[in-house]
Amino acid sequence: MAAPGQSGIKVTNLREINKALKAVGAPNEEIKKAGKESGELVASEARGLVPVRSGALRNSIRVGATARGRIRVSAGNNRTSKSGVPYANPIHWGWFKRNIKPQPFFVKALGYTRAEVYENYFSQIEKLIIKESAKAKL
């Protein structure tokens, strides 16, 4: 759920980290796994903070990760089907013309878990580099 007040964690030197991982031969799936597990910390916290009526918005929270180290935690979709949750942005960021007050569950979740996300991600990446470096030495 990208939105007006874009929130997130920016990792400096991510490009260099990716180069180091590729240099030691780290599999893309392992890199994605590290990111996904870290993103799941935020998603889990957001699921506990999101306002619930039917549970559709809470159930639409998901995590995606790429081999380049990018992690996205999002909610909602624009489907008009029964499983659609097009109201995720107005619930999170508010819609003042419609008297919907902001309930920034993602921003709060990120704030609560930021240190843990950093620690988890870099710990997993460090383990992956050590593991792949050891393989390369054999």
Side-chain angles (χ1 to χ4, degrees):
M1 178 171 77
Q6 289 274 346
S7 300
I9 296 175
K10 183 172 174 110
V11 176
T12 54
N13 298 323
L14 185 59
R15 198 171 282 153
E16 286 78 11
I17 293 169
N18 285 326
K19 282 181 185 178
L21 289 168
K22 288 192 186 293
V24 297
N28 286 343
E29 289 307 311
E30 291 291 323
I31 299 168
K32 284 182 186 180
K33 182 181 169 194
K36 237 179 168 174
E37 284 182 20
S38 298
E40 193 56 50
L41 295 170
V42 177
S44 178
E45 185 72 26
R47 287 183 191 108
L49 296 171
V50 68
V52 177
R53 279 196 184 164
S54 68
L57 180 55
R58 178 191 57 222
N59 295 340
S60 75
I61 296 174
R62 59 199 174 279
V63 179
T66 68
R68 299 181 79 196
R70 299 188 191 270
I71 305 158
R72 177 175 295 228
V73 182
S74 59
N77 57 49
N78 291 325
R79 291 187 204 142
T80 54
S81 66
K82 193 173 184 178
S83 65
V85 186
Y87 50 85
N89 272 329
I91 296 297
H92 189 274
W93 298 110
W95 191 354
F96 295 104
K97 287 183 180 179
R98 303 268 174 131
N99 278 338
I100 299 173
K101 292 181 181 174
Q103 298 182 55
F105 54 95
F106 270 135
V107 174
K108 288 179 182 177
L110 182 59
Y112 297 154
T113 60
R114 184 178 304 269
E116 190 178 359
V117 169
Y118 269 123
E119 187 178 313
N120 182 290
Y121 184 71
F122 288 114
S123 166
Q124 289 194 40
I125 294 300
E126 183 179 12
K127 287 177 190 173
L128 187 56
I129 289 172
I130 291 168
K131 176 180 152 188
E132 295 303 321
S133 294
K135 280 185 190 176
K137 289 179 183 176
L138 294 176

